[in-house]
Amino acid sequence: MSLSESAGFLYCDDFDVLEPMPTSAPRAVLDVRRVCLLFCLLLSTPLALAQQGPEDGGREIQVWTGGGYTVPGGTKNTGVWNLGLRYGWVLTRPLGPGSLKGRFEYAVDAVPMFLIFQPANTAYGVGFNPIDLKWNFATRSLVVPYLELDGGTLFTNHNVPTRTNTVNFTTSGVFGVHLLRPRYNWSVEARYMHISNAGLSNFNPGINTFQVRLGIGRFFAKR
């Protein structure tokens, strides 16, 4: 969208309108038209400066961190905080009907820092998520919502939960949004994570947590 003044005319290419703007027009009218020009520029500039979003055949790289606390359904009074790196592949063009249309992305996460704050101790762990299935909704705005399901493994120096096992498996359901910026994009997401040893120990109460995760990264177009 653009709006300009040229040779005594007011022009906005989104509407193909060309109308005379007499020099004798009241100052208030001229001011309103200049405000319209500024408004058009403000609308068009962010789109021009926005960083590339998810594109067919593209790649994503991101650094993220998140944390949260237990919710009903498992071990109580336990907090978590983690930090990781993501690499993703956008595999499809936009698919699906209407507002559900989106692109499928497959990603992996390396998690070098995973802290579990238990009543008995604080466990330090590392993890790897080889399965991240992500649906990036196809939008034309600077906000790109997404849904995600992922799963991985977690290795800790103390039993998690207490009196269970040092090897666990994680599964998560996610709703988030990418906020596209000129150079990088930010992501904000709500994450429900289940931690369980899958029967490696006879005692397996599991941990259910609600987490908020923040990330900063980039999408790279297909070469």
Side-chain angles (χ1 to χ4, degrees):
M1 177 185 292
S2 65
L3 189 68
S4 58
E5 300 176 25
S6 177
F9 290 88
L10 180 70
Y11 178 71
C12 184
D13 61 7
D14 277 41
F15 302 101
D16 294 330
V17 175
L18 187 66
E19 59 182 50
M21 186 177 64
T23 56
S24 59
R27 182 177 181 84
V29 174
L30 297 178
D31 288 342
V32 168
R33 291 181 174 181
R34 288 187 174 90
V35 169
C36 291
L37 171 60
L38 179 60
F39 180 71
C40 287
L41 292 174
L42 289 175
L43 287 180
S44 61
T45 299
L47 294 174
L49 294 179
Q51 190 249 325
Q52 183 77 36
E55 294 293 342
D56 321 349
R59 302 288 186 268
E60 178 188 11
I61 188 169
Q62 183 189 72
V63 176
W64 54 261
T65 184
Y69 204 72
T70 49
V71 294
T75 305
K76 300 178 180 178
N77 303 320
T78 301
V80 298
W81 176 78
N82 44 42
L83 173 72
L85 175 67
R86 164 164 295 190
Y87 193 87
W89 298 263
V90 182
L91 300 179
T92 70
R93 62 181 178 82
L95 303 172
S99 60
L100 298 179
K101 181 179 292 186
R103 296 174 174 87
F104 176 69
E105 178 183 349
Y106 178 82
V108 295
D109 284 338
V111 190
M113 178 73 72
F114 202 122
L115 296 179
I116 303 95
F117 304 97
Q118 307 180 110
N121 54 46
T122 296
Y124 167 78
V126 296
F128 178 63
N129 300 337
I131 303 174
D132 290 316
L133 309 177
K134 186 176 176 184
W135 186 256
N136 296 296
F137 289 93
T139 67
R140 296 181 180 272
S141 72
L142 305 184
V143 178
V144 181
Y146 61 88
L147 297 174
E148 180 183 323
L149 293 173
D150 63 45
T153 56
L154 175 63
F155 306 91
T156 54
N157 64 335
H158 294 297
N159 290 334
V160 175
T162 305
R163 303 188 308 279
T164 58
N165 206 58
T166 59
V167 178
N168 281 277
F169 302 92
T170 63
T171 54
S172 299
V174 178
F175 172 74
V177 293
H178 288 293
L179 307 174
L180 303 182
R181 304 299 301 159
R183 189 171 182 183
Y184 301 100
N185 70 75
W186 290 92
S187 69
V188 182
E189 65 182 43
R191 174 175 293 262
Y192 176 85
M193 177 182 285
H194 175 68
I195 302 173
S196 168
N197 64 45
L200 295 178
S201 169
N202 291 330
F203 183 48
N204 182 27
I207 300 176
N208 298 316
T209 65
F210 175 80
Q211 301 178 35
V212 175
R213 179 182 289 189
L214 303 176
I216 182 170
R218 292 195 70 176
F219 286 101
F220 297 90
K222 181 178 180 181
R223 294 181 180 179

